[in-house]
């Protein structure tokens, strides 16, 4: 509710992206760390504010999402151009799909039977770092979802794609990203 209050208060400055732990409260998926003792309260808060949630946002050629967006995921929803790059409307189309069709499409890829996100077709709520790096849809992405490396903010470049992983064991970290400078 506090996060949603920030989005309401600063609608042009704050975005809230849906993640895998949100999905269990708005879909039939119960594969995460489901908080049974608070499920009613959390579920009501998420459902009441679902219109605020986004799959992804883009600012200054940086795409922000919970876990990252792969080419294979976009291909599943016909969101690639003929040259194999994301359609200009892909992010907006994903956000609209969340609002009008619900979050079911973000739960699991039919190609990944492990349930751990280790397939390049996994959704922006589930894909893991190795799979994202192999198949990133956007040149610059900022994601959370999985702490990697030494448990601090990490930056990787692979096949010309730059991914900043912000999930951290140290919950007091923050990232200031100047999109006009080299990382």
């Amino acid at each position: 509710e506090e996060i949603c209050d920030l989005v309401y208060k600063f609608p042009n400055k704050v975005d809230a992206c849906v993640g895998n732990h949100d999905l269990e409260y708005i879909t039939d998926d119960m594969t995460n760390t489901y908080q049974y003792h608070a499920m009613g309260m959390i579920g009501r808060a998420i459902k009441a504010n679902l219109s605020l949630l986004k799959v992804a946002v883009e600012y200054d050629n940086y795409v922000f999402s919970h876990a990252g967006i792969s080419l294979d995921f976009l291909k599943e929803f016909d969101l690639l151009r003929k040259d194999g790059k994301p359609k200009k409307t892909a992010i907006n189309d994903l956000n609209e799909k969340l609002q009008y069709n619900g979050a079911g499409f973000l739960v699991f890829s039919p190609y990944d039977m492990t349930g751990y996100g280790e397939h390049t077709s996994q959704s922006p709520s589930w894909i893991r770092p190795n799979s994202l790096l192999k198949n990133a849809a956007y040149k610059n992405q900022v994601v959370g979802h999985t702490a990697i490396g030494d448990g601090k903010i990490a930056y990787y470049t692979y096949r010309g794609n730059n991914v900043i992983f912000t999930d951290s064991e140290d919950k007091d970290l923050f990232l200031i990203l100047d999109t006009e400078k080299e990382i």
Side-chain angles (χ1 to χ4, degrees):
E1 290 173 337
E2 290 174 16
I3 292 168
C4 293
D5 287 345
L6 283 173
V7 178
Y8 282 120
K9 188 173 181 178
F10 304 104
N12 297 322
K13 294 184 178 189
V14 176
D15 290 295
C17 292
V18 67
N20 60 305
H21 291 276
D22 304 315
L23 297 178
E24 60 201 32
Y25 300 102
I26 53 178
T27 68
D28 292 332
D29 175 53
M30 293 179 66
T31 59
N32 294 298
T33 312
Y34 196 74
Q35 297 181 34
Y36 293 101
H37 65 282
M39 65 187 241
M41 178 186 65
I42 294 170
R44 281 189 299 277
I46 292 173
K47 289 175 184 174
N49 295 288
L50 190 59
S51 65
L52 299 178
L53 296 179
K54 296 181 178 178
V55 175
V57 294
E58 183 174 12
Y59 295 102
D60 298 330
N61 295 313
Y62 280 80
V63 173
F64 297 80
S65 67
H66 179 70
I69 301 175
S70 72
L71 289 168
D72 287 347
F73 178 80
L74 293 180
K75 183 179 180 181
E76 285 297 309
F77 296 96
D78 194 29
L79 294 173
L80 295 178
R81 302 182 317 214
K82 289 182 182 178
D83 66 359
K85 301 220 185 263
K87 289 181 178 178
K88 196 172 202 166
T89 62
I91 291 172
N92 187 56
D93 292 347
L94 290 174
N95 290 332
E96 284 185 6
K97 186 171 182 59
L98 174 64
Q99 295 306 314
Y100 297 110
N101 299 99
F105 75 105
L106 295 171
V107 177
F108 285 114
S109 163
Y111 305 105
D112 182 7
M113 297 301 127
T114 67
Y116 293 110
E118 292 296 349
H119 195 278
T120 57
S121 65
Q122 275 293 354
S123 82
S125 296
W126 273 106
I127 194 166
R128 296 294 179 181
N130 288 336
S131 299
L132 176 62
L133 286 167
K134 286 186 227 174
N135 195 252
Y138 296 94
K139 180 172 175 41
N140 298 304
Q141 293 194 55
V142 179
V143 304
H145 187 57
T146 305
I148 62 172
D150 62 359
K152 305 287 184 199
I153 293 172
Y155 171 78
Y156 287 89
T157 297
Y158 186 69
R159 296 182 180 170
N161 295 307
N162 307 304
V163 181
I164 300 172
F165 297 93
T166 62
D167 195 356
S168 166
E169 294 167 1
D170 182 352
K171 302 303 179 193
D172 293 329
L173 285 178
F174 61 91
L175 171 69
I176 297 173
L177 178 63
D178 185 343
T179 59
E180 295 178 3
K181 294 182 179 178
E182 278 294 314
I183 296 176

